[in-house]
Amino acid sequence: MARDDAAAVLADVSRETGERLERYADLLLRWNARINLVSPHDLPHLWSRHIGDSLQLASLILPGGVDLVDMGSGGGFPGLVIACATDANVTLVESDQRKAAFLREAARVAGVKVRVCAQRLEVAEVPPAQVVTARALAPLSRLLEWGTRFLRPDGVCLFLKGRNAEEELTMARADWHMATTRIPSRTNTDGVILELSDIRRVRDHNNE
């Protein structure tokens, strides 16, 4: 089944991208025995549930070497997968030192250039980027708190979300204004990609 999943994902990418992803996936499987990068329960579905899911964002990244910050990269989802599939200048922010070490080695093995910032999101020093991404990291309100630290005024956030996306949007709008585009997930019937732009904090009327 895992082999079929890999073939289905690789059928939609270039040969060069496929080779990068295969090297990355092989390394992840080896490291996963020592570091919990992916739940053992999910390993049989690594390609469809994690790599394929992350690849959806690659098609939304404009060519031309845009700067991209991936928050809480963990095992490389979605940031390292995006780096394998695009020409974006990717920075991976991951505070866990062991996972950061894996990301550096995975980038080397896959043959992609990324910057790994092994700091907490609250204090990470990263230049503002055109795109900020995250997957399975935190509720939307928290993502916006972190993400606006790294986002250019004209930038876009791309967040992979599950069945609670609408509830999270409702809660976030109490504190944030944003233009929202919902893109249905191709890998999860309950999933959605939230494309957020024109993000700014709502004024506190008590302070006006």
Side-chain angles (χ1 to χ4, degrees):
M1 183 63 70
R3 187 172 298 174
D4 292 341
D5 285 350
V9 172
L10 293 173
D12 292 330
V13 301
S14 68
R15 184 178 68 178
E16 182 180 13
T17 294
E19 290 172 350
R20 290 172 172 172
L21 291 172
E22 286 184 307
R23 292 195 296 269
Y24 158 57
D26 288 345
L27 185 73
L28 185 148
L29 291 173
R30 294 200 299 272
W31 277 59
N32 209 64
R34 294 181 287 127
I35 303 175
N36 186 29
L37 300 166
V38 173
S39 166
H41 177 74
D42 281 352
L43 278 180
H45 311 288
L46 171 64
W47 281 90
S48 60
R49 189 166 295 172
H50 294 285
I51 296 176
D53 193 40
S54 299
L55 270 175
Q56 296 183 92
L57 298 190
S59 64
L60 302 176
I61 307 299
L62 295 175
V66 301
D67 295 323
L68 182 149
V69 174
D70 183 50
M71 302 190 299
S73 301
F77 311 111
L80 192 55
V81 174
I82 293 172
C84 288
T86 73
D87 64 354
N89 302 310
V90 176
T91 297
L92 309 175
V93 184
E94 173 53 55
S95 62
D96 186 304
Q97 297 296 323
R98 296 182 304 164
K99 291 179 180 178
F102 165 76
L103 292 170
R104 293 187 185 98
E105 178 63 7
R108 186 191 69 81
V109 169
V112 297
K113 292 182 179 180
V114 301
R115 175 192 176 194
V116 178
C117 178
Q119 294 179 300
R120 292 178 58 82
L121 289 162
E122 296 88 343
V123 299
E125 295 293 335
V126 177
Q130 291 127 310
V131 181
V132 172
T133 59
R135 175 180 182 267
L137 180 61
L140 182 57
S141 293
R142 183 65 61 84
L143 292 179
L144 292 171
E145 290 278 356
W146 293 329
T148 49
R149 295 189 64 242
F150 310 125
L151 190 67
R152 287 181 12 178
D154 60 344
V156 174
C157 287
L158 298 174
F159 297 144
L160 288 154
K161 283 293 178 180
R163 62 171 61 92
N164 296 324
E166 290 304 319
E167 179 182 344
E168 292 186 28
L169 275 166
T170 298
M171 295 181 66
R173 288 194 178 105
D175 298 307
W176 298 92
H177 166 86
M178 70 203 89
T180 305
T181 300
R182 300 165 182 81
I183 303 169
S185 170
R186 300 194 302 267
T187 62
N188 180 358
T189 55
D190 293 325
V192 65
I193 300 167
L194 295 181
E195 184 177 48
L196 309 176
S197 59
D198 190 22
I199 302 168
R200 58 184 184 273
R201 191 178 291 277
V202 174
R203 280 187 175 184
D204 183 346
H205 294 290
N206 293 326
N207 293 331
E208 289 184 347

